[in-house]
Amino acid sequence: QLKLVESGGGLVQPGGSLRLSCVASEFSLENYVIAWFRQAPGKEREGVSCEISAGGRQFYSDSVKGRFTMSRDNAKNTAYLDIDNLQPEDTAIYSCAVDIWRITIIQGLCHLSPDHGIWGQGSQVTVSS
């Protein structure tokens, strides 16, 4: 079964940092475009960062630009999201997702239908003192 397994979430103090990992199982990440989404309590899911092409240039939403950095290690079949200077408004469930061609950027956010692609299980990030 093709799946993504996430790890790295947790409770972080404001101003702190963390790294989310997303490991691909039963398939190779190399030819897939990676995106990261988050859903805060009571809000719609938003796509905060994604690749323009598999392993290519990255896009970040205005709300995370300069603080979030996505990367990949194809040898480890793993995608990463490094988050710096975490703020309480970053509290959300973070999910990675991959697809060959259906991740798009619309009105400053990354998009992928939940019916498409391969999704991770989600990882809770809570920013609180």
Side-chain angles (χ1 to χ4, degrees):
Q1 182 182 1
L2 308 182
K3 62 180 180 180
L4 295 170
V5 179
E6 297 182 43
S7 61
L11 175 63
V12 184
Q13 291 188 340
S17 301
L18 59 72
R19 163 174 272 196
L20 300 177
S21 298
C22 177
V23 181
S25 177
E26 302 297 329
F27 71 100
S28 173
L29 266 182
E30 187 169 5
N31 296 319
Y32 284 79
V33 176
I34 299 167
W36 288 91
F37 297 81
R38 69 181 181 183
Q39 187 165 19
K43 295 188 177 180
E44 291 187 357
R45 183 177 61 207
E46 62 173 353
V48 295
S49 65
C50 55
E51 297 175 322
I52 305 300
S53 60
R57 191 163 57 95
Q58 298 146 6
F59 170 85
Y60 298 91
S61 68
D62 286 344
S63 62
V64 307
K65 196 177 298 181
R67 299 188 300 119
F68 286 30
T69 304
M70 63 181 302
S71 61
R72 62 159 75 206
D73 185 336
N74 288 334
K76 295 182 178 179
N77 225 19
T78 302
Y80 302 100
L81 184 67
D82 290 296
I83 309 176
D84 295 322
N85 192 23
L86 277 155
Q87 300 301 315
E89 54 267 31
D90 294 318
T91 295
I93 296 174
Y94 285 74
S95 300
C96 59
V98 300
D99 195 83
I100 295 291
W101 59 275
R102 287 174 290 203
I103 293 172
T104 58
I105 299 168
I106 302 172
Q107 294 183 329
L109 294 172
C110 304
H111 287 267
L112 176 66
S113 167
D115 295 329
H116 295 151
I118 303 167
W119 289 78
Q121 83 278 15
S123 186
Q124 177 70 50
V125 173
T126 302
V127 185
S128 175
S129 55

